[in-house]
Amino acid sequence: MALDLFNRRAREDRERFGERLPPGQKLTDGWPVLHYGGVPSIDMAAWKFSIVGLVEKDVSFGWDEFLALPQTTLRSDIHCVTHWSKFDNDWTGVTFRELMQHVRPKPEAKHVMVHSFGGYTTNVSLAELMDDDVIVAHRHNGEPLAKEHGGPMRLVVPKLYFWKSAKWVRGLVFMDDVKAGFWEMYGYHIHGDPWTEERYS
Ligand SMILES: Nc1nc2c(c(=O)[nH]1)N[C@H]1C(S)=C(S)[C@@H](COP(=O)(O)O)O[C@H]1N2
Ligand SMILES: [Mo]
């Protein structure tokens, strides 16, 4: 699409949806599939979600243990750095806050590296993961999360661009300082706030 047409559509959407659509974003009804590399094959019997690094004690959950944690459904919007947004996604899973009931971070823990099956990583500050809309999700709009969208489990951080919402999540490493994850190393913004368009650095 020509850039001026794209910009006009973005402006129209902004007028229509006001504050809900961040600058430079265009609303989509579909759900694009975007990731680097292939969809990893995950052996559910061996599936494990681990929390390590600057924590008093390493914690890990098997699949059944994870599903036995209190489950929540939260509605949020998706904003991808490639300019599409998708409103009203119902995510079901375990909120990050709930997860933290089972983890004792060391006082110096300030940032987290999120790790995925397949090797993807992305960094998020611990403070932002503690927002009440952050969830580790295995269902989307009532359906099991499709493989290509990160099934069986993905992280969802609605307040940041969608590359921070790691698909096929396998664990978290607590860190004292900010470190760049995969896309952050290749020039994506270290933070990624859609409202101030922290797209690339
Ligand atoms: N494991 C993993 N997670 C990932 C990615 C990836 O390459 N690998 N890409 C990110 C990017 S750039 C985007 S835009 C979203 C896309 O999610 P979707 O395919 O469900 O729309 O996943 C994010 N999470
Ligand atoms: Mo993306």
Side-chain angles (χ1 to χ4, degrees):
M1 203 188 326
L3 186 63
D4 56 343
L5 179 62
F6 185 92
N7 286 336
R8 198 178 73 222
R9 293 256 170 86
R11 195 174 55 243
E12 284 166 4
D13 279 349
R14 211 149 54 234
E15 285 160 3
R16 228 165 103 214
F17 299 105
E19 289 303 295
R20 200 166 163 196
L21 195 67
Q25 294 297 109
K26 175 92 189 63
L27 201 60
T28 178
D29 291 324
W31 189 3
V33 173
L34 288 172
H35 51 261
Y36 184 83
V39 174
S41 65
I42 299 169
D43 173 9
M44 288 312 288
W47 188 92
K48 219 164 81 164
F49 186 79
S50 304
I51 300 160
V52 302
L54 296 175
V55 291
E56 296 298 343
K57 194 171 167 292
D58 292 356
V59 180
S60 83
F61 303 91
W63 182 251
D64 293 339
E65 291 171 320
F66 202 91
L67 294 189
L69 297 172
Q71 304 289 308
T72 309
T73 298
L74 299 176
R75 179 166 292 188
S76 60
D77 298 340
I78 294 171
H79 307 299
C80 175
V81 70
T82 61
H83 299 276
W84 58 271
S85 291
K86 179 175 172 57
F87 286 170
D88 291 328
N89 302 274
D90 285 341
W91 300 104
T92 303
V94 178
T95 64
F96 187 83
R97 283 192 183 192
E98 169 58 39
L99 204 58
M100 291 308 288
Q101 298 295 311
H102 308 266
V103 181
R104 276 178 298 137
K106 293 191 170 165
E108 61 269 32
K110 297 283 184 254
H111 293 271
V112 173
M113 191 66 80
V114 187
H115 285 255
S116 296
F117 290 97
Y120 184 80
T121 56
T122 189
N123 60 279
V124 186
S125 74
L126 184 52
E128 282 175 300
L129 288 173
M130 288 301 285
D131 274 356
D132 55 15
D133 55 0
V134 176
I135 188 164
V136 185
H138 55 88
R139 294 181 88 84
H140 176 266
N141 291 351
E143 302 289 332
L145 185 60
K147 242 181 167 173
E148 65 268 25
H149 287 299
M153 197 89 85
R154 82 181 294 164
L155 177 69
V156 180
V157 188
K159 287 199 184 74
L160 299 175
Y161 280 125
F162 206 35
W163 86 77
K164 299 288 188 180
S165 293
K167 309 203 270 193
W168 314 297
V169 72
R170 74 183 311 173
L172 309 172
V173 179
F174 282 52
M175 316 182 290
D176 57 353
D177 209 353
V178 59
K179 276 199 196 78
F182 178 81
W183 282 124
E184 293 85 4
M185 266 189 304
Y186 286 101
Y188 280 28
H189 198 280
I190 196 76
H191 180 225
D193 173 18
W195 300 96
T196 54
E197 291 198 75
E198 292 175 339
R199 296 177 189 273
Y200 310 105
S201 54

